[in-house]
Amino acid sequence: DFAKADADWLEDVLQGVSDGAPDLVRGDISKFMNAVSMRVAPPRSGTGTRKPAGETAKPDPTPPQDTRSAMQKLMDRFT
């Protein structure tokens, strides 16, 4: 039982599994996963709008420097 709100994404997943089933049977896991991902997150078109000439994107701010010790970083990774 799935909620009605899940119908859209569930349909995409099931259709991707259906599309990739022959690849899965052949043992080609990567092609199977590609078929599922193409349904779940289809490629974006390259027809986006460009910014007017002279207008540039703002540079990303520099990320804050990590001042933790190597041991603390390791401990944080596993906790």
Side-chain angles (χ1 to χ4, degrees):
D1 271 340
F2 288 93
K4 287 184 181 182
D6 294 331
D8 290 337
W9 70 262
L10 183 60
E11 179 64 29
D12 290 335
V13 170
L14 292 176
Q15 187 62 49
V17 169
S18 175
D19 293 349
D23 298 317
L24 185 61
V25 170
R26 283 191 297 272
D28 195 339
I29 303 297
S30 62
K31 281 189 178 180
F32 168 75
M33 293 302 293
N34 189 46
V36 174
S37 69
M38 292 297 286
R39 284 290 181 166
V40 175
R44 298 179 190 172
S45 68
T47 60
T49 58
R50 293 183 178 217
K51 294 186 178 198
E55 186 178 329
T56 58
K58 294 180 182 177
D60 291 335
T62 307
Q65 187 174 5
D66 191 354
T67 58
R68 297 174 297 163
S69 69
M71 179 60 92
Q72 185 62 46
K73 290 178 189 177
L74 184 61
M75 288 173 51
D76 290 346
R77 203 172 190 185
F78 292 101
T79 56

